[in-house]
Amino acid sequence: QVQLVESGGGLVQAGGSLRLSCAASGSTVNISAMGWYRQAPGKQRELVARISSGGSPNYTDSVKGRFTISRDNAKNTAYLQIDSLKPEDTAVYYCRADIRSSVVPNMSFAYWGQGTQVTVSS
């Protein structure tokens, strides 16, 4: 049982910055990768950034150089630092944690946070 709580969204002018946080609680020992996704109105949810349990990050091309994902395993928290915001970054940002099954080998389950709204004005 894992709960993800996101925070840090808001309304920011283009060029500004935000830092999103995702705090995991509950049974966190089986968390492997964590990631950030976003969904704009009328569009599919897309992967923004992902970080492995060992701290190796991956980014979608549209955010490389502007977004930074990190995690603090001691605090069971993932972060997304967003710089140089653009209006097209406006979306609901969701945190995801992949939880390994304790009974089925090579199976994992995705847990999602409630989402936090990021709005970028021009």
Side-chain angles (χ1 to χ4, degrees), residues 9-114:
L11 194 156
V12 181
Q13 292 186 353
S17 298
L18 286 171
R19 178 180 281 107
L20 309 184
S21 298
C22 173
S25 62
S27 300
T28 60
V29 294
N30 290 326
I31 295 178
S32 54
M34 299 185 73
W36 289 94
Y37 293 69
R38 67 186 180 187
Q39 187 167 22
K43 296 186 179 295
Q44 293 184 348
R45 188 173 300 183
E46 66 171 348
L47 173 67
V48 174
R50 193 176 188 182
I51 187 167
S52 71
S53 60
S56 298
N58 297 103
Y59 303 94
T60 192
D61 287 342
S62 63
V63 307
K64 286 182 178 177
R66 300 188 299 117
F67 290 22
T68 303
I69 189 171
S70 61
R71 66 191 293 171
D72 185 338
N73 289 337
K75 296 183 177 181
N76 297 311
T77 301
Y79 305 93
L80 187 68
Q81 176 68 39
I82 310 176
D83 298 318
S84 301
L85 278 160
K86 303 176 180 179
E88 52 263 43
D89 294 321
T90 296
V92 177
Y93 284 71
Y94 297 92
C95 179
R96 167 176 159 168
D98 293 332
I99 312 298
R100 295 184 297 271
S101 173
S102 61
V103 295
V104 182
N106 305 121
M107 178 177 288
S108 63
F109 302 89
Y111 285 74
W112 295 88
Q114 82 286 354

